[in-house]
Amino acid sequence: MDTVSTNRAFGGTQGVYKHVSTETGTEMTFSVFVPDHAEGEILPVVWYLSGLTCTHANVTEKGEFRAHCAKHGLIFVAPDTSPRGEGVADDAEGAYDFGLGAGFYVNATEEPFAANYRMQAYVEDELPALIADQFPADMSRQGIMGHSMGGHGALTIGLRNADRFKAVSAFAPIVSPLNCPWGEKALTGYIGADKSAWRQYDACALIEDGARVPDLLVDQGTADDFLEGQLKPELLVEVCKEKDQPLTLRMQEGYDHSYYFISTFMGEHLDWHAARLKA
């Protein structure tokens, strides 16, 4: 692991780091905020997964999370959204919703993406091992959150690993890639045409198939341009009600899909995570 930069912030250290990933076969960059803490103390970890076109930098620079993490003693980890670099396959037409910046937190099985697009394994296995080794992280106390495509990632990873993540939340998540154009394009390209193989990457399908977490928190802006065509939170409401999965969905009047929305409610999400990650 190489250090790209460190900065003092809110009584802690905001760092950006890079390493060569064995899962993606590329160099990966991620950011970590570590609050000041007593020598030998280990701190709970909150993961943040970003959305389409984003890198670690979007939330690191615009998420306004550090004061809340410092207050609660939370380590905040923000990985990239996809592998990058020379030779990494991309959308043939350079579209924003597939390829670079749009890894969808899956392990791709279709060529030419299978070699590098292994963001599920990277986020679930490889990067946590690195965080546990290099930072004062209490891996028995982890939460996960995300935005849009990263909200999809947070919900699906959290549901598949309920024994690991004690808190799961999302901002404007893609709740059902099986039922929206972004998801249909991405999962067809990465996983193939067999939609039964998509179910592990669809939060609604996972809940329908029996996955459970103690509760879910989702914030969604009513002025979000993607609300009706891509995000469809009503599908999550329906399946959670049918399957008795606790869900708090907060429709935030007038808010859009941007980091103005995310940063407004970031503190409340971190308060919610902190309450569930207490020792």
Side-chain angles (χ1 to χ4, degrees):
M1 187 182 77
D2 295 324
T3 300
V4 177
S5 64
T6 57
N7 295 93
R8 190 79 175 142
F10 291 95
T13 300
Q14 177 64 64
V16 177
Y17 308 92
K18 62 182 180 180
H19 72 119
V20 176
S21 166
T22 57
E23 288 292 349
T24 69
T26 66
E27 187 172 78
M28 297 293 289
T29 302
F30 61 96
S31 75
V32 182
F33 176 72
V34 181
D36 283 354
H37 54 284
E39 185 175 353
E41 183 183 7
I42 55 175
L43 306 176
V45 180
V46 174
W47 296 81
Y48 179 92
L49 305 184
S50 294
L52 288 166
T53 76
C54 292
T55 69
H56 70 283
N58 297 75
V59 70
T60 305
E61 296 170 3
K62 297 184 289 187
E64 299 186 24
F65 57 86
R66 280 173 284 269
H68 303 282
C69 287
K71 178 178 70 172
H72 293 299
L74 301 173
I75 293 175
F76 191 94
V77 182
D80 202 345
T81 51
S82 71
R84 302 176 193 269
E86 187 176 351
V88 176
D90 195 8
D91 184 83
E93 299 178 356
Y96 76 94
D97 56 357
F98 187 75
L100 299 183
F104 267 80
Y105 305 99
V106 305
N107 285 343
T109 56
E110 295 293 296
E111 299 299 340
F113 304 100
N116 303 116
Y117 284 77
R118 294 185 52 81
M119 291 302 295
Q120 175 192 349
Y122 180 71
V123 171
E124 288 186 357
D125 301 316
E126 184 178 9
L127 189 55
L130 183 63
I131 296 299
D133 183 62
Q134 297 290 325
F135 296 92
D138 182 352
M139 305 305 280
S140 70
R141 292 186 289 158
Q142 296 184 75
I144 190 166
M145 65 167 71
H147 169 233
S148 193
M149 178 186 73
H152 140 77
L155 293 178
T156 55
I157 290 172
L159 285 162
R160 288 197 307 266
N161 299 275
D163 58 334
R164 185 187 307 183
F165 296 102
K166 298 182 182 301
V168 182
S169 72
F171 302 98
I174 303 169
V175 303
S176 184
L178 277 158
N179 293 288
C180 74
W182 279 342
E184 291 174 6
K185 178 178 181 178
L187 296 185
T188 300
Y190 293 136
I191 309 300
D194 180 5
K195 291 191 175 183
S196 66
W198 299 10
R199 295 186 69 83
Q200 65 173 312
Y201 300 120
D202 184 297
C204 291
L206 283 166
I207 293 168
E208 193 172 62
D209 293 344
R212 296 289 184 276
V213 291
D215 49 10
L216 294 169
L217 172 63
V218 173
D219 272 311
Q220 171 65 62
T222 62
D224 191 321
D225 289 339
F226 305 112
L227 176 57
E228 294 183 4
Q230 302 282 8
L231 306 178
K232 303 182 179 181
E234 67 277 5
L235 298 180
L236 184 63
V237 172
E238 290 170 8
V239 73
C240 285
K241 183 177 181 180
E242 179 184 346
K243 299 297 182 178
D244 295 321
Q245 165 61 57
L247 166 69
T248 299
L249 172 65
R250 308 191 305 184
M251 299 300 296
Q252 304 293 358
E253 187 66 34
Y255 284 88
D256 59 17
H257 201 67
S258 72
Y259 269 85
Y260 295 109
F261 159 61
I262 297 166
S263 62
T264 299
F265 300 102
M266 176 66 81
E268 294 179 20
H269 278 241
L270 289 169
D271 291 345
W272 190 83
H273 280 257
R276 287 155 179 78
L277 298 179
K278 289 180 180 178

